[in-house]
Amino acid sequence: MKKFVYMLALVFALGISFNSVQAADKPAKNPTELTAEQAVKLEKIKTRVEEIRDMDKSNLTKAERKALRNELRELKGQARAISGGVYLSVGAIIIIILLLILIL
């Protein structure tokens, strides 16, 4: 069993080093810049979020507060989609954690 774990760690380490060697050959990518249309849409999202944050929510009903929360979640998703980024699913995170536990 120890041999298997050591072999798995060796393969994992070599795989990481190979990827870093390949990445060193590639030129650095410029960060993605937003187009004018995307910048305007992102600014609208920001102003709407600020409006919701400044609202007096004490006199809202439960359904209205829930609608505001849902709207904020949608706005957050739209902002992430516009600005781009790296996404890790829950399944990928679990697999990474399991691999780390097995290796260590």
Side-chain angles (χ1 to χ4, degrees):
M1 184 66 181
K2 270 188 174 180
K3 250 185 189 178
F4 176 72
V5 172
Y6 288 138
M7 189 63 80
L8 186 64
L10 179 66
V11 169
F12 184 69
L14 290 175
I16 289 174
S17 64
F18 181 71
N19 286 337
S20 62
V21 170
Q22 282 184 338
D25 295 339
K26 295 180 183 178
K29 288 175 37 176
N30 292 335
T32 57
E33 295 182 15
L34 298 176
T35 63
E37 181 180 309
Q38 290 174 333
V40 169
K41 191 172 182 180
L42 192 60
E43 189 61 35
K44 286 181 182 179
I45 291 172
K46 286 181 183 179
T47 55
R48 179 62 184 149
V49 169
E50 290 173 3
E51 287 174 5
I52 292 173
R53 187 175 18 145
D54 295 337
M55 246 185 226
D56 182 25
K57 299 175 195 94
S58 61
N59 58 0
L60 296 177
T61 64
K62 187 175 182 178
E64 291 171 338
R65 285 193 303 262
K66 187 174 182 177
L68 279 177
R69 275 195 307 271
N70 289 337
E71 183 180 355
L72 282 173
R73 285 184 191 135
E74 290 174 8
L75 290 174
K76 184 178 179 181
Q78 290 174 3
R80 281 186 178 171
I82 290 172
S83 62
V86 177
Y87 296 102
L88 285 177
S89 67
V90 175
I93 293 172
I94 291 172
I95 290 172
I96 291 170
I97 291 171
L98 288 174
L99 284 174
L100 288 174
I101 290 171
L102 286 173
I103 291 172
L104 301 174

PDB file of all heavy atoms in Angstrom, residues 8-22:
ATOM      1  N   LEU A   8       1.805   7.135  -6.561  1.00  0.00           N
ATOM      2  CA  LEU A   8       0.789   8.128  -6.883  1.00  0.00           C
ATOM      3  C   LEU A   8       1.315   9.537  -6.633  1.00  0.00           C
ATOM      4  O   LEU A   8       1.084  10.447  -7.450  1.00  0.00           O
ATOM      5  CB  LEU A   8      -0.479   7.872  -6.047  1.00  0.00           C
ATOM      6  CG  LEU A   8      -1.686   8.743  -6.356  1.00  0.00           C
ATOM      7  CD1 LEU A   8      -2.174   8.484  -7.766  1.00  0.00           C
ATOM      8  CD2 LEU A   8      -2.798   8.454  -5.369  1.00  0.00           C
ATOM      9  N   ALA A   9       2.032   9.732  -5.537  1.00  0.00           N
ATOM     10  CA  ALA A   9       2.617  11.041  -5.234  1.00  0.00           C
ATOM     11  C   ALA A   9       3.648  11.421  -6.284  1.00  0.00           C
ATOM     12  O   ALA A   9       3.726  12.585  -6.703  1.00  0.00           O
ATOM     13  CB  ALA A   9       3.235  11.019  -3.845  1.00  0.00           C
ATOM     14  N   LEU A  10       4.449  10.460  -6.734  1.00  0.00           N
ATOM     15  CA  LEU A  10       5.452  10.718  -7.755  1.00  0.00           C
ATOM     16  C   LEU A  10       4.808  11.127  -9.067  1.00  0.00           C
ATOM     17  O   LEU A  10       5.223  12.102  -9.706  1.00  0.00           O
ATOM     18  CB  LEU A  10       6.325   9.479  -7.956  1.00  0.00           C
ATOM     19  CG  LEU A  10       7.421   9.595  -9.015  1.00  0.00           C
ATOM     20  CD1 LEU A  10       8.459  10.607  -8.581  1.00  0.00           C
ATOM     21  CD2 LEU A  10       8.049   8.242  -9.269  1.00  0.00           C
ATOM     22  N   VAL A  11       3.776  10.412  -9.479  1.00  0.00           N
ATOM     23  CA  VAL A  11       3.068  10.742 -10.716  1.00  0.00           C
ATOM     24  C   VAL A  11       2.434  12.126 -10.611  1.00  0.00           C
ATOM     25  O   VAL A  11       2.500  12.930 -11.553  1.00  0.00           O
ATOM     26  CB  VAL A  11       2.003   9.662 -11.036  1.00  0.00           C
ATOM     27  CG1 VAL A  11       1.085  10.113 -12.152  1.00  0.00           C
ATOM     28  CG2 VAL A  11       2.683   8.360 -11.385  1.00  0.00           C
ATOM     29  N   PHE A  12       1.858  12.426  -9.474  1.00  0.00           N
ATOM     30  CA  PHE A  12       1.231  13.734  -9.268  1.00  0.00           C
ATOM     31  C   PHE A  12       2.269  14.851  -9.337  1.00  0.00           C
ATOM     32  O   PHE A  12       2.061  15.866  -9.996  1.00  0.00           O
ATOM     33  CB  PHE A  12       0.506  13.743  -7.915  1.00  0.00           C
ATOM     34  CG  PHE A  12      -0.263  14.999  -7.647  1.00  0.00           C
ATOM     35  CD1 PHE A  12      -1.405  15.302  -8.366  1.00  0.00           C
ATOM     36  CD2 PHE A  12       0.159  15.884  -6.669  1.00  0.00           C
ATOM     37  CE1 PHE A  12      -2.111  16.452  -8.121  1.00  0.00           C
ATOM     38  CE2 PHE A  12      -0.536  17.038  -6.413  1.00  0.00           C
ATOM     39  CZ  PHE A  12      -1.674  17.328  -7.142  1.00  0.00           C
ATOM     40  N   ALA A  13       3.420  14.655  -8.693  1.00  0.00           N
ATOM     41  CA  ALA A  13       4.476  15.672  -8.687  1.00  0.00           C
ATOM     42  C   ALA A  13       5.039  15.877 -10.090  1.00  0.00           C
ATOM     43  O   ALA A  13       5.288  17.014 -10.514  1.00  0.00           O
ATOM     44  CB  ALA A  13       5.573  15.279  -7.715  1.00  0.00           C
ATOM     45  N   LEU A  14       5.257  14.795 -10.815  1.00  0.00           N
ATOM     46  CA  LEU A  14       5.768  14.921 -12.178  1.00  0.00           C
ATOM     47  C   LEU A  14       4.745  15.591 -13.093  1.00  0.00           C
ATOM     48  O   LEU A  14       5.115  16.347 -13.983  1.00  0.00           O
ATOM     49  CB  LEU A  14       6.168  13.555 -12.721  1.00  0.00           C
ATOM     50  CG  LEU A  14       7.416  12.924 -12.089  1.00  0.00           C
ATOM     51  CD1 LEU A  14       7.609  11.519 -12.637  1.00  0.00           C
ATOM     52  CD2 LEU A  14       8.630  13.776 -12.308  1.00  0.00           C
ATOM     53  N   GLY A  15       3.496  15.293 -12.881  1.00  0.00           N
ATOM     54  CA  GLY A  15       2.453  15.922 -13.684  1.00  0.00           C
ATOM     55  C   GLY A  15       2.399  17.422 -13.471  1.00  0.00           C
ATOM     56  O   GLY A  15       2.228  18.197 -14.414  1.00  0.00           O
ATOM     57  N   ILE A  16       2.580  17.858 -12.248  1.00  0.00           N
ATOM     58  CA  ILE A  16       2.566  19.297 -11.953  1.00  0.00           C
ATOM     59  C   ILE A  16       3.789  19.968 -12.562  1.00  0.00           C
ATOM     60  O   ILE A  16       3.692  21.037 -13.154  1.00  0.00           O
ATOM     61  CB  ILE A  16       2.513  19.532 -10.433  1.00  0.00           C
ATOM     62  CG1 ILE A  16       1.138  19.140  -9.911  1.00  0.00           C
ATOM     63  CG2 ILE A  16       2.786  20.983 -10.094  1.00  0.00           C
ATOM     64  CD1 ILE A  16       1.020  19.205  -8.404  1.00  0.00           C
ATOM     65  N   SER A  17       4.954  19.347 -12.439  1.00  0.00           N
ATOM     66  CA  SER A  17       6.169  19.958 -12.976  1.00  0.00           C
ATOM     67  C   SER A  17       6.111  20.027 -14.501  1.00  0.00           C
ATOM     68  O   SER A  17       6.576  20.991 -15.100  1.00  0.00           O
ATOM     69  CB  SER A  17       7.408  19.195 -12.517  1.00  0.00           C
ATOM     70  OG  SER A  17       7.399  17.892 -13.042  1.00  0.00           O
ATOM     71  N   PHE A  18       5.524  19.022 -15.139  1.00  0.00           N
ATOM     72  CA  PHE A  18       5.400  19.041 -16.595  1.00  0.00           C
ATOM     73  C   PHE A  18       4.503  20.189 -17.042  1.00  0.00           C
ATOM     74  O   PHE A  18       4.808  20.881 -18.003  1.00  0.00           O
ATOM     75  CB  PHE A  18       4.856  17.703 -17.096  1.00  0.00           C
ATOM     76  CG  PHE A  18       4.712  17.641 -18.591  1.00  0.00           C
ATOM     77  CD1 PHE A  18       5.827  17.588 -19.411  1.00  0.00           C
ATOM     78  CD2 PHE A  18       3.466  17.652 -19.185  1.00  0.00           C
ATOM     79  CE1 PHE A  18       5.700  17.538 -20.785  1.00  0.00           C
ATOM     80  CE2 PHE A  18       3.328  17.597 -20.551  1.00  0.00           C
ATOM     81  CZ  PHE A  18       4.449  17.541 -21.355  1.00  0.00           C
ATOM     82  N   ASN A  19       3.413  20.407 -16.336  1.00  0.00           N
ATOM     83  CA  ASN A  19       2.510  21.499 -16.687  1.00  0.00           C
ATOM     84  C   ASN A  19       3.175  22.849 -16.511  1.00  0.00           C
ATOM     85  O   ASN A  19       2.958  23.761 -17.301  1.00  0.00           O
ATOM     86  CB  ASN A  19       1.230  21.430 -15.848  1.00  0.00           C
ATOM     87  CG  ASN A  19       0.324  20.310 -16.290  1.00  0.00           C
ATOM     88  OD1 ASN A  19       0.411  19.856 -17.423  1.00  0.00           O
ATOM     89  ND2 ASN A  19      -0.533  19.867 -15.399  1.00  0.00           N
ATOM     90  N   SER A  20       3.972  23.017 -15.471  1.00  0.00           N
ATOM     91  CA  SER A  20       4.631  24.297 -15.265  1.00  0.00           C
ATOM     92  C   SER A  20       5.689  24.552 -16.331  1.00  0.00           C
ATOM     93  O   SER A  20       5.925  25.690 -16.711  1.00  0.00           O
ATOM     94  CB  SER A  20       5.229  24.383 -13.864  1.00  0.00           C
ATOM     95  OG  SER A  20       6.205  23.390 -13.700  1.00  0.00           O
ATOM     96  N   VAL A  21       6.331  23.493 -16.818  1.00  0.00           N
ATOM     97  CA  VAL A  21       7.312  23.656 -17.886  1.00  0.00           C
ATOM     98  C   VAL A  21       6.605  24.086 -19.162  1.00  0.00           C
ATOM     99  O   VAL A  21       7.069  24.963 -19.882  1.00  0.00           O
ATOM    100  CB  VAL A  21       8.106  22.343 -18.111  1.00  0.00           C
ATOM    101  CG1 VAL A  21       8.937  22.414 -19.369  1.00  0.00           C
ATOM    102  CG2 VAL A  21       8.981  22.062 -16.907  1.00  0.00           C
ATOM    103  N   GLN A  22       5.468  23.504 -19.452  1.00  0.00           N
ATOM    104  CA  GLN A  22       4.714  23.902 -20.631  1.00  0.00           C
ATOM    105  C   GLN A  22       4.230  25.338 -20.500  1.00  0.00           C
ATOM    106  O   GLN A  22       4.224  26.089 -21.469  1.00  0.00           O
ATOM    107  CB  GLN A  22       3.511  22.988 -20.831  1.00  0.00           C
ATOM    108  CG  GLN A  22       3.847  21.660 -21.442  1.00  0.00           C
ATOM    109  CD  GLN A  22       2.587  20.852 -21.707  1.00  0.00           C
ATOM    110  OE1 GLN A  22       1.544  21.073 -21.094  1.00  0.00           O
ATOM    111  NE2 GLN A  22       2.685  19.916 -22.616  1.00  0.00           N
TER     112      GLN A  22
END
